[in-house]
Amino acid sequence: MSQPSISSKRRLLTMFTIVSFLIFALIARLGWIQIVRGEKYKELANAQQTRDIPIPAKRGIIYDRNGKELAISISSSTVWVKPKEIENAKETAAKLANILQLPFDKLEKDISNSKYGLVRIARWIEDDVAAAIRKENLKGVLIAEDNKRFFPYGNFATYILGHTTDDNRGAYGIEREYEKYLSGLPGRWIKSTDSAGRQLDSSVEKYYPPENGLSVVLTTDEVIQHFAEKAVQNALEVNKAKRVTAIVMDVKTGDILAMAAKPDYDPNQPRLPLDEEMQLQMEAMSDEEKLDTWFSMWRNPIVNDTYEPGSTFKLITTAVVLEEGIATPDSHFFSPGTISVGGRTLKCWRYYNPHGDQTLTQAVQNSCNVVFVQLGEKLGKDTFYSYLDAFGFNSTTGIDLPGERKSIMYSLPQVGPVELATMSFGQSISITPIQLISAVSAIVNDGILMKPRIVKELVDNEGNVVHRFEEQMVRQVISEKTSQEMREIMQSVIVEGSGKAAYIPGYAVGGKTGTAQKVIDGKYADGYYVSSFIGVAPMDDPKLAVLIIVDEPNGLSHFGSITAAPVAKEILEESLRYLEVKPKYTEEEAQQLVKAEITIPEVRQMTVTEGTKTLKDHKLQYEIEAQQEMGPNTIIVDMFPKPGARVPENSSVMLYAREKGEVGKVLVPDLTGKTIGDANKLLNALGLRLKITGNGVATSQYPEANSEVPLGTIISVEFKPN
């Protein structure tokens, strides 16, 4: 037998070496995979073979202070599909489209998308729809438990509660501010599957239940909130205003008992305006315009917006003057109607009939700007600003609602004589409503500023208190003596001054009216006003503070004494009786209450002379609100209370008067090119009504522009997209 050659031996050795190296490399690679990287590949295998279906947690409930449910989560179902388990995508999509009333094309695309192991098809379906899907027994289609946020009262306390997103996350209000407590921890439904996504027969399902969120207990009282919502809605309609807001605060604790603003929205459908006209306008809007409209609709004007407070701010100036000893309630001042400051002439609202000599108390009653300019000069800007800081106007209040804004005011170096003068009577400074009511509450609360609070407690599913938010004193701003003097001055405004419309027999009410021109495009705009009133009761033991703001009233008056004070009276009277605060009648009030009742006579369309004589003959008092100086042809166009109402003898009737020529007919304006909102606002101001056809901007109208028509005439306008 011949021996292998040397070359053959070399080839065999080379082959042996290569094979040995490959075997060694495979052993090393296997060791790397099994030992070094074993845990990682185990995790990847588990992830590939496991289907993890999230089970959302149930959001906590939002309660009012008495345990009434204002926001709850209701059980619902969500439809999921596993594309890899579906054998016939078209057939499955057709059946689901028929049951869910969804587009077939989109469903088929989602079901055929094997990129994802799990796809959500529909959320928050009704029980009967879920039952119909289960009946079809569709392979790869799962129905999982889900929760949907629900607000049982609809558009009630909207700007307190806020709303949630489609993913059940808090978007505004308490829902957003307390998201981390309300949301809870989601659960899991875990199944083992093969590489194709099919469930393994031998697999064991694991269900980890979700951990529900904590519930929130508000300081808000649902009953008082109802009082506020009702009064605000009525004021919005009566005054034909752009917006009306109200806030009710517990003076001693800083608790927010009610917070309302109209118009608002339904948090169950946050993208759908309640106003049908606005719904029509939004149909023609771009996506960007819709976003701007939604954000504007969702903003809470009480904490997110600022405004010039006008004469209500004079309470702050008065308190500072008394605290600094610059004046006493009986100190005398003289107002000639105007005053020159820094080369500018500033007017009192009654410059044409000056108040003349008056005490500080009377100056507050009369809301005399000239006196407050004098007081501001005596204070000086440094002292004035130190108290603005102390009252909290240079910072946020810290209320537990999202997006609170700071005030807008001049920095101290920018303040000159004119700026100081205008700020002293509530102009050239822009603050939030929550700042003002907190500061005025401090004035009557023995000078103690409290941090406003809207949440009392966090509780678990069993009702156990997990965390309690205590009342928090911020600082002592003024002395008890000054506070007592301020309460007497504020009460005199109601008894003798401009706030008589807020008088409530048996309850000592104090307050201040305010009327301020709005700043539009950087300047004060004629015809655009913010009317307001802040009231406190009872002044012998202050419990409630109420701030009412009427934005752009277009009714018969724009004065806070007419538009806002009656709203505060309504809320205060109902709330005090609900809280069982017993009235304390003076002898005069007690006698007044037992007087005979008088039926108010009809005096509309009479001249002022005839109408007032008729009221006097019926033993009734009266107040007249006229838009200009009255003459022999001035006619009463409206009155409150209305004819036929029964009131005690010597009650006061508010009369609204205009010149006779204004009452009969008006000229129809040219509406061409105007939007629905602008046209409606213009016609309302003239006493005319709008009938809408189409959407967009006005292209034609009937009756035509410059036609003379009676008040109340309906103007038909056709709107077309621009």
Side-chain angles (χ1 to χ4, degrees), residues 464-692:
N464 301 313
V465 177
V466 176
H467 181 76
R468 180 173 284 109
F469 298 90
E470 301 294 345
E471 303 163 8
Q472 186 176 336
M473 173 183 169
V474 180
R475 66 181 70 89
Q476 182 90 33
V477 184
I478 58 175
S479 66
E480 291 185 25
K481 176 178 179 293
T482 300
S483 177
Q484 176 60 40
E485 291 173 337
M486 284 300 301
R487 291 199 292 269
E488 292 173 0
I489 290 174
M490 290 171 66
Q491 187 173 350
S492 75
V493 174
I494 306 302
V495 176
E496 303 174 51
S498 59
K500 292 178 181 178
Y503 169 75
I504 306 172
Y507 296 103
V509 180
K512 184 72 185 76
T513 59
T515 306
Q517 272 187 293
K518 290 186 69 172
V519 176
I520 299 177
D521 296 330
K523 59 183 180 180
Y524 290 102
D526 291 335
Y528 292 86
Y529 295 92
V530 175
S531 306
S532 59
F533 177 84
I534 187 159
V536 179
M539 295 307 288
D540 55 344
D541 182 19
K543 287 183 170 57
L544 299 181
V546 176
L547 173 61
I548 306 297
I549 301 172
V550 183
D551 188 7
E552 294 186 22
N554 286 300
L556 293 171
S557 174
H558 62 263
F559 292 108
S561 57
I562 306 299
T563 60
V567 186
K569 173 187 176 179
E570 180 181 346
I571 295 173
L572 279 172
E573 186 169 21
E574 292 181 323
S575 298
L576 290 169
R577 294 188 186 281
Y578 161 71
L579 294 174
E580 297 183 349
V581 178
K582 295 184 178 179
K584 299 176 183 178
Y585 297 109
T586 63
E587 290 185 10
E588 183 179 350
E589 287 174 336
Q591 293 176 359
Q592 180 77 15
L593 290 174
V594 298
K595 288 181 179 179
E597 286 193 337
I598 305 295
T599 300
I600 295 179
E602 174 65 88
V603 296
R604 290 173 296 187
Q605 302 305 316
M606 293 184 183
T607 64
V608 170
T609 303
E610 295 169 341
T612 53
K613 182 179 184 303
T614 301
L615 292 177
K616 286 180 180 179
D617 291 342
H618 284 76
K619 298 182 180 179
L620 293 170
Q621 304 295 321
Y622 58 87
E623 292 185 35
I624 303 173
E625 172 67 25
Q627 292 194 343
Q628 59 187 51
E629 292 186 11
M630 294 183 292
N633 292 324
T634 303
I635 284 184
I636 299 170
V637 295
D638 205 354
M639 58 193 295
F640 183 83
K642 299 296 184 185
R646 294 187 63 79
V647 296
E649 183 181 316
N650 286 325
S651 291
S652 182
V653 178
M654 180 60 66
L655 303 177
Y656 302 93
R658 288 181 183 169
E659 281 298 299
K660 187 173 183 180
E662 297 178 328
V663 178
K665 292 186 177 182
V666 294
L667 292 178
V668 178
D670 185 359
L671 302 175
T672 304
K674 296 192 179 298
T675 63
I676 293 176
D678 289 342
N680 191 48
K681 184 176 180 179
L682 180 57
L683 293 179
N684 279 339
L686 295 171
L688 302 173
R689 292 185 290 167
L690 173 64
K691 180 180 179 182
I692 302 169

Side-chain angles (χ1 to χ4, degrees), residues 81 95 112 194 200 216 231 234 303 321 333 353 355 408 412 501 599 637 640 671 684 700-701 713:
V81 298
K95 290 182 178 180
S112 302
D194 61 17
L200 299 174
V216 172
N234 183 58
V303 299
V321 166
F333 298 88
N353 183 17
H355 292 112
I408 302 173
L412 189 56
T599 300
V637 295
F640 183 83
L671 302 175
N684 279 339
S700 62
Q701 65 184 78
T713 298

Side-chain angles (χ1 to χ4, degrees), residues 26 96 102 175 225 301 352 416 423 534 566 576 616 667 690:
L26 288 172
L96 287 177
L102 293 175
E175 294 281 16
Q225 181 71 28
Y352 54 86
M423 288 175 68
I534 187 159
L576 290 169
K616 286 180 180 179
L667 292 178
L690 173 64

Side-chain angles (χ1 to χ4, degrees), residues 409-429:
M409 63 174 73
Y410 295 104
S411 63
L412 189 56
Q414 294 176 312
V415 177
V418 175
E419 288 77 22
L420 178 60
T422 54
M423 288 175 68
S424 69
F425 57 77
Q427 290 187 352
S428 301
I429 181 173

Side-chain angles (χ1 to χ4, degrees), residues 191-260:
K191 297 181 178 184
S192 297
T193 62
D194 61 17
S195 60
R198 296 182 293 267
Q199 185 169 345
L200 299 174
D201 295 334
S202 59
S203 68
V204 177
E205 293 186 12
K206 291 184 179 180
Y207 179 78
Y208 297 95
E211 183 178 325
N212 294 338
L214 295 174
S215 294
V216 172
V217 181
L218 303 177
T219 61
T220 307
D221 190 304
E222 181 253 356
V223 175
I224 297 178
Q225 181 71 28
H226 270 298
F227 293 154
E229 299 250 352
K230 179 189 65 173
V232 165
Q233 182 63 45
N234 183 58
L236 182 75
E237 295 170 0
V238 168
N239 294 293
K240 301 176 183 177
K242 178 181 179 181
R243 167 165 272 171
V244 180
T245 58
I247 181 169
V248 183
M249 176 181 280
D250 185 315
V251 167
K252 291 183 171 61
T253 65
D255 285 355
I256 304 300
L257 301 178
M259 183 184 286

